[in-house]
Amino acid sequence: AQSVSQHNHHVILSEAASLELGCNYSYGGTVNLFWYVQYPGQHLQLLLKYFSGDPLVKGIKGFEAEFIKSKFSFNLRKPSVQWSDTAEYFCAPGGNQGNLIFGKGTKLSVKP
Amino acid sequence: DSGVTQTPKHLITATGQRVTLRCSPRSGDLSVYWYQQSLDQGLQFLIQYYNGEERAKGNILERFSAQQFPDLHSELNLSSLELGDSALYFCASSPGLAGVVEQFFGPGTRLTVL
């Protein structure tokens, strides 16, 4: 069965620290990968997506992610976080039913 | 604003009752998805409709059902409600069949079952 694993449940960082959130997936076929963000009290929004091509994908607000096929990973990174990045982050491979398989999410708290 | 609307925003009801959640997709989007988000289960895919037809089912209980109407809006019906059904219910839409395209999420309906 398709599955996705996000390694960190809750990450606490100070402003300007670097961020890396891990995501591993298990999926047999061609996979499309997404990271969504949910700011407090808001709906999910797309941060970035990977379909094919350059495995280093740039998204909004300075986020990027690297697809490493051999490791089935799609880790999210940001060189310097801001207080406004406090949110919950979800990794989501595209499932073979035409839906998204969401990870459990990682809560990021950034201390000012 | 994603362009996806959901009503109501909040719903408080009692166990055993039935409720209907409504979703209007973005203009032009043919696919509608329903998700349930709870503290213990995380974000779970329930069901997908494409142009009026059911296309995929996830972890949807038999007490739950959905439909998509000719104008493409969708309704999720939850019946014989239990305390454990309390959750945030999201609707999302996409132009086609997702997994390959971005889904746009609505603001959600928070259901509280007392």
Side-chain angles (χ1 to χ4, degrees):
Chain A
Q2 296 146 12
S3 65
V4 57
S5 171
Q6 290 186 241
H7 312 307
N8 313 98
H9 180 62
H10 192 185
V11 173
I12 303 172
L13 295 173
S14 297
E15 275 194 316
S18 65
L19 170 72
E20 180 157 2
L21 302 182
C23 171
N24 285 93
Y25 63 92
S26 109
Y27 188 73
T30 302
V31 63
N32 299 304
L33 296 156
F34 303 81
W35 274 96
Y36 280 81
V37 60
Q38 187 177 25
Y39 297 102
Q42 295 190 27
H43 60 278
L44 281 86
Q45 304 169 45
L46 182 70
L47 259 187
L48 47 78
K49 60 191 175 189
Y50 172 78
F51 290 167
S52 64
D54 188 344
L56 187 60
V57 179
K58 293 200 184 299
I60 61 170
K61 304 188 180 187
F63 286 89
E64 63 180 32
E66 185 175 12
F67 169 56
I68 303 180
K69 189 175 180 180
S70 60
K71 295 184 178 180
F72 298 92
S73 72
F74 190 55
N75 292 353
L76 181 71
R77 300 196 291 246
K78 185 170 183 178
S80 175
V81 295
Q82 301 172 313
W83 177 77
S84 58
D85 294 324
T86 294
E88 190 160 13
Y89 294 81
F90 295 90
C91 178
N96 62 11
Q97 290 183 307
N99 61 292
L100 295 178
I101 313 290
F102 281 91
K104 292 268 189 207
T106 296
K107 281 190 169 65
L108 172 65
S109 299
V110 180
K111 297 182 293 185
Chain B
D1 184 0
S2 66
V4 178
T5 59
Q6 288 186 249
T7 56
K9 287 185 81 169
H10 301 277
L11 200 45
I12 302 173
T13 189
T15 54
Q17 294 298 305
R18 173 190 167 94
V19 297
T20 297
L21 313 184
R22 183 189 168 101
C23 168
S24 293
R26 290 188 326 153
S27 176
D29 283 357
L30 298 178
S31 282
V32 169
Y33 310 79
W34 286 98
Y35 293 87
Q36 180 195 58
Q37 186 178 34
S38 62
L39 282 174
D40 52 344
Q41 298 288 332
L43 194 57
Q44 292 209 76
F45 166 66
L46 296 178
I47 197 164
Q48 177 201 357
Y49 280 82
Y50 176 78
N51 203 20
E53 291 190 9
E54 182 185 304
R55 288 305 298 251
K57 261 186 172 177
N59 298 322
I60 188 166
L61 300 171
E62 284 193 14
R63 300 183 284 108
F64 296 0
S65 65
Q67 53 183 330
Q68 186 179 29
F69 294 87
D71 67 352
L72 301 177
H73 91 270
S74 177
E75 292 180 358
L76 179 68
N77 300 296
L78 315 175
S79 61
S80 302
L81 285 167
E82 301 174 1
L83 296 177
D85 297 327
S86 295
L88 198 49
Y89 291 84
F90 285 108
C91 165
S93 74
S94 67
L97 296 174
V100 295
V101 294
E102 175 185 354
Q103 292 183 16
F104 295 85
F105 283 80
T109 292
R110 184 169 293 282
L111 173 66
T112 302
V113 182
L114 301 174

